Amino acid sequence: AYYVSGEKNLSPLLDALYGDKNKEIIGHHFKRDLRYRLREDEKIESRIFDVTQAHYVIDPDGNHDFPYLCAKYLDFTIMEKDKKDPPLSEWEEEKALNYLGERAICNFLLAEGFKSELLGLDLDSVYAKMDRPMLKILAQMELNGILINKEYLKELEGEFENQIFLLEKAVEDSV
């Protein structure tokens, strides 16, 4: 875990972290971090373990919110950042360290538990071969956006309106 206060050039640190195939980076909701790296056209070679994504594999219908996962699996309530709070860069250093430190520890502990659980459920290959690679793909898709065929959707809207009209008419005629 790293905490760097102030305006510093983080590129060398991030390049060393994300550029090493032998390193594993553990976190939650990694897509936003990956989007930043992709937007800056920076490489991502390291292995990613996203506890949120892993939990989707373990319990697809469960709650995947990070504070919830910490409470459920670690019996720990993490400090939360309110939308009204100033940016983290404006927090007192000790408060920022506590906030980020809690998250780092919880991410590590959740990752260890979820890796064991994935193995026990025989889902480790599902995460490694399907879900983990999808993180980069989804981040790239969110970064690029999607194209919408407005003409086709307008045509489809007309067809659906016609079907609704016919269904409403059939209901009225049957009463």
Side-chain angles (χ1 to χ4, degrees):
Y2 294 93
Y3 174 73
V4 181
S5 63
E7 298 293 322
K8 294 189 174 57
N9 180 5
L10 298 179
S11 291
L13 173 65
L14 294 174
D15 289 344
L17 189 63
Y18 282 97
D20 188 343
K21 292 179 183 178
N22 297 316
K23 284 193 173 103
E24 178 180 59
I25 304 173
I26 298 170
H28 65 282
H29 295 298
F30 245 105
K31 276 192 309 180
R32 66 178 168 237
D33 299 325
L34 294 176
R35 273 196 320 264
Y36 171 79
R37 297 289 297 174
L38 292 167
R39 184 177 59 239
E40 299 300 317
D41 201 27
E42 296 168 341
K43 65 182 178 179
I44 304 165
E45 299 292 331
S46 54
R47 291 182 331 261
I48 304 292
F49 190 87
D50 185 318
V51 296
T52 308
Q53 194 70 25
H55 191 257
Y56 272 99
V57 176
I58 293 166
D59 183 9
D61 297 324
N63 183 342
H64 311 291
D65 185 50
F66 187 68
Y68 173 80
L69 296 176
C70 294
K72 179 180 178 183
Y73 291 94
L74 305 175
D75 195 26
F76 184 76
T77 303
I78 60 170
M79 182 188 323
E80 295 199 51
K81 186 176 180 301
D82 192 84
K83 291 181 193 275
K84 298 175 198 164
D85 287 337
L88 200 59
S89 59
E90 295 177 16
W91 285 18
E92 292 179 24
E93 190 168 307
E94 185 174 336
K95 182 179 177 182
L97 285 170
N98 287 335
Y99 175 83
L100 295 169
E102 282 182 356
R103 279 171 162 59
I105 292 167
C106 289
N107 272 308
F108 178 78
L109 294 173
L110 287 170
E112 293 303 304
F114 290 170
K115 286 176 186 179
S116 294
E117 198 163 346
L118 286 167
L119 274 170
L121 296 169
D122 201 25
L123 293 171
D124 54 314
S125 64
V126 171
Y127 177 78
K129 293 179 182 174
M130 295 176 68
D131 282 78
R132 182 175 26 222
M134 285 301 294
L135 286 171
K136 292 178 188 174
I137 294 167
L138 293 171
Q140 188 68 57
M141 287 173 64
E142 288 180 9
L143 189 61
N144 293 343
I146 59 170
L147 295 175
I148 296 176
N149 185 336
K150 291 181 185 178
E151 292 172 17
Y152 174 73
L153 289 177
K154 194 70 173 163
E155 185 180 309
L156 202 55
E157 179 184 25
E159 289 177 26
F160 289 151
E161 285 175 350
N162 187 42
Q163 288 177 4
I164 290 170
F165 174 77
L166 293 173
L167 288 170
E168 287 175 345
K169 181 135 179 61
V171 169
E172 287 174 5
D173 290 346
S174 69
V175 239

